[in-house]
Amino acid sequence: DQQVKQNSPSLSVQEGRISILNCDYTNSMFDYFLWYKKYPAEGPTFLISISSIKDKNEDGRFTVFLNKSAKHLSLHIVPSQPGDSAVYFCAAVRFSGNTPLVFGKGTRLSVIA
Amino acid sequence: EPEVTQTPSHQVTQMGQEVILRCVPISNHLYFYWYRQILGQKVEFLVSFYNNEISEKSEIFDDQFSVERPDGSNFTLKIRSTKLEDSAMYFCASRGQTTYNEQFFGPGTRLTVL
């Protein structure tokens, strides 16, 4: 039961261009979405998040867009840098006590110099 | 910057043996979690913990698993009798009251069951 889906296992982008990572979800009860970045042999690192009452959140080079009607969110990285090469996980959670994050399978981003 | 730490970084054990994975969450955090990631698969939730008790657990977290906060700083995951399929990266995470849903993850423990 994949409640959070990242359909692209990998993505290659030229340095300086825009990276767009996509995520779809099926559970309409989710009300907060997060993106995590993961390097090999490290734990996931929180990157950016968005509440379901918003459609956009921006933090420096990173912007997350949420389309609730389509149950779709995307992470834009612009300009992409070689240090952005990592696995990016989309995660979702319901506001209710101590509920866990539900992760997608991740997208491996490679930024080519 | 405060961070979640985990020990050991790598644990190798024989099938049927008990293992204890240790975590030190960020000091003022109150909510604690264990997740795991089998190689090539997604990060999966195991258990959440708050106020000295389990808040929620997944189907994976069966009777072979237990968690404990033995003192004010450590948070442990015990697997009583390991199976081959328990081989995975185990991540501890914590969050504070104000970072409402932003969980901070440790570097993980790689568990290899032979």
Side-chain angles (χ1 to χ4, degrees):
Chain A
D1 175 26
Q2 277 194 74
Q3 297 187 69
V4 178
K5 301 177 191 179
Q6 293 177 258
N7 292 320
S8 299
S10 63
L11 175 69
S12 284
V13 171
Q14 288 282 339
E15 181 180 5
R17 306 295 285 266
I18 184 170
S19 296
I20 300 176
L21 297 106
N22 293 303
C23 177
D24 298 293
Y25 62 96
T26 57
N27 189 342
S28 56
M29 299 296 287
F30 289 139
D31 38 28
Y32 204 79
F33 304 90
L34 306 91
W35 285 93
Y36 281 82
K37 176 178 176 179
K38 187 180 179 304
Y39 293 117
E42 293 185 13
T45 303
F46 169 72
L47 197 57
I48 192 169
S49 60
I50 188 167
S51 163
S52 61
I53 62 173
K54 297 189 175 182
D55 55 19
K56 178 182 173 181
N57 188 26
E58 194 171 350
D59 184 3
R61 296 186 297 115
F62 303 92
T63 303
V64 56
F65 295 93
L66 175 63
N67 182 335
K68 267 191 82 171
S69 60
K71 294 193 178 73
H72 177 84
L73 61 152
S74 61
L75 173 67
H76 292 211
I77 306 173
V78 58
S80 302
Q81 299 172 353
D84 296 330
S85 297
V87 178
Y88 288 78
F89 290 98
C90 172
V93 67
R94 289 178 292 117
F95 279 165
S96 177
N98 201 13
T99 51
L101 297 174
V102 179
F103 284 88
K105 287 189 173 181
T107 297
R108 181 177 301 280
L109 174 66
S110 300
V111 180
I112 305 159
Chain B
E1 189 174 323
E3 57 182 20
V4 177
T5 59
Q6 290 185 243
T7 53
S9 56
H10 191 187
Q11 173 92 47
V12 181
T13 190
Q14 294 288 329
M15 192 169 57
Q17 295 296 303
E18 174 184 287
V19 294
I20 297 175
L21 310 183
R22 291 183 166 79
C23 169
V24 178
I26 293 172
S27 64
N28 62 347
H29 284 188
L30 300 176
Y31 301 89
F32 313 115
Y33 309 82
W34 283 101
Y35 293 83
R36 78 174 186 189
Q37 185 183 26
I38 293 172
L39 188 64
Q41 298 187 23
K42 63 179 180 178
V43 177
E44 300 175 290
F45 167 71
L46 294 177
V47 65
S48 57
F49 192 87
Y50 170 72
N51 201 24
N52 282 319
E53 59 183 32
I54 290 173
S55 309
E56 193 168 331
K57 58 185 180 179
S58 71
E59 294 173 350
I60 304 167
F61 194 88
D62 62 22
D63 292 345
Q64 294 301 311
F65 290 86
S66 62
V67 288
E68 196 177 36
R69 188 155 162 81
D71 53 42
S73 59
N74 290 284
F75 179 51
T76 62
L77 174 70
K78 182 194 288 187
I79 309 174
R80 240 177 298 279
S81 177
T82 49
K83 303 188 282 280
L84 295 175
E85 54 264 38
D86 292 329
S87 295
M89 282 290 289
Y90 287 79
F91 295 107
C92 173
S94 69
R95 74 168 175 90
Q97 295 265 35
T98 55
T99 53
Y100 191 50
N101 280 299
E102 293 154 14
Q103 297 177 20
F104 294 84
F105 285 75
T109 293
R110 177 172 298 286
L111 176 65
T112 302
V113 182
L114 303 175

